[in-house]
Amino acid sequence: MNVDIQDEGDGGGGQAVAFTIAEHEEVHVLHPQQIIAYQGPSSGRADRIMDVKGIYRKRKLIRSDLSGPCRFVAALPPGYRVKTMQLDGKSDLLYDFRHLFYYSEGITMQTRMLSIKNMFITRDVVKVKFSGKGSIGILTEGTVCEAELDPFEPLYVDAGSIVAYPENAKLELTVYGNHLASQHMSYHWKMTGHGSVLFQAGRQSRRFERDNSEDGIIKRFLREALPFGGVFIK
């Protein structure tokens, strides 16, 4: 299977992801409504109702199974990107299933339950660990960044920006900085351990645009000055 990602030259448009699937290969697309062009036998695409577990994880009812030989193109709206990752069966990263755009045949999934405290704050119940050999496509907002964990010096990452982290990582939801900084920011993961963390750089763009919009000076002051004003004052 070959995946070719095509971006608009000015960076302001959407992204096209072109797939070439060889004979005896198969790929599962979890956002079939984004497929805008297909070339191959009509029988090469089969849409299926996901099982109950898949429906809960993805909040979707249908997935598309595409088998080769065929070619197709999926389109993403502005601001969204797909990061392709080749798995060799040794990865210990945990993902949010909602980030999954596609996965190839040979990839299996296992769920990992979050703690009750983290469920309450993140409004998420499980993370997913991928096993097997093949490729997956992760749907993100903006560029994907990577940072190495340290066993002793913590890394703080915005909780809503995390894409994947190692299963061995020690996590704690927290804020950091002085009194004003800790009131103003959203929850962050305080992370230590071994391996790499993936996080998306586009999650803050909506807040940045809002903060630079034509809001009145009073609303902007209250948002900045009041404890958790950025959360309660929209």
Side-chain angles (χ1 to χ4, degrees):
M1 182 177 72
N2 181 65
V3 181
D4 181 26
I5 297 177
Q6 303 166 11
D7 289 287
E8 288 288 338
D10 59 5
Q15 186 182 71
V17 186
F19 295 79
T20 302
I21 312 299
E23 192 171 2
H24 305 305
E25 291 182 335
E26 187 174 10
V27 63
H28 310 289
V29 179
L30 276 67
H31 292 267
Q33 72 278 8
Q34 300 306 124
I35 297 175
I36 59 172
Y38 172 84
Q39 185 177 42
S42 178
S43 59
R45 172 174 173 169
D47 286 12
R48 307 183 188 281
I49 297 177
M50 297 176 68
D51 58 25
V52 174
K53 187 181 293 185
I55 292 172
Y56 172 77
R57 292 169 177 167
K58 193 65 179 174
R59 277 70 167 178
K60 297 286 184 182
L61 294 175
I62 303 294
R63 81 175 192 206
S64 286
D65 298 340
L66 294 111
S67 54
C70 70
R71 294 186 294 176
F72 66 95
V73 177
L76 301 180
Y80 287 88
R81 298 289 182 267
V82 167
K83 180 176 177 61
T84 60
M85 303 187 68
Q86 294 292 328
L87 304 184
D88 59 3
K90 301 178 181 179
S91 174
D92 69 340
L93 291 178
L94 300 181
Y95 296 82
D96 186 333
F97 191 80
R98 287 170 290 185
H99 285 296
L100 185 63
F101 187 74
Y102 77 85
Y103 62 99
S104 66
E105 193 70 12
I107 297 294
T108 58
M109 304 173 220
Q110 301 170 330
T111 56
R112 297 290 188 268
M113 297 289 294
L114 298 180
S115 68
I116 298 298
K117 176 184 176 182
N118 291 348
M119 287 182 195
F120 178 75
I121 295 176
T122 63
R123 299 180 182 178
D124 199 5
V125 178
V126 298
K127 295 293 183 184
V128 176
K129 180 178 179 179
F130 295 105
S131 303
K133 295 184 179 181
S135 68
I136 61 174
I138 301 300
L139 186 66
T140 67
E141 295 182 53
T143 303
V144 175
C145 305
E146 183 174 354
E148 287 290 328
L149 288 179
D150 185 272
F152 305 105
E153 183 177 358
L155 172 70
Y156 296 88
V157 184
D158 178 83
S161 298
I162 290 287
V163 173
Y165 57 85
E167 187 173 14
N168 72 78
K170 181 179 179 181
L171 291 84
E172 178 185 348
L173 278 171
T174 186
V175 291
Y176 67 94
N178 64 6
H179 184 66
L180 183 59
S182 62
Q183 288 182 341
H184 180 64
M185 69 177 58
S186 57
Y187 276 105
H188 281 57
W189 286 114
K190 178 182 177 182
M191 312 178 72
T192 54
H194 300 275
S196 298
V197 177
L198 302 179
F199 52 96
Q200 53 191 347
R203 285 279 297 177
Q204 299 299 323
S205 60
R206 291 192 297 268
R207 182 173 181 178
F208 181 83
E209 292 171 359
R210 183 194 66 194
D211 290 345
N212 285 276
S213 67
E214 296 179 355
D215 282 348
I217 187 65
I218 295 178
K219 181 183 287 189
R220 292 186 63 184
F221 172 78
L222 292 175
R223 189 183 294 137
E224 298 287 338
L226 292 179
F228 301 104
V231 176
F232 298 109
I233 301 176
K234 303 299 182 183

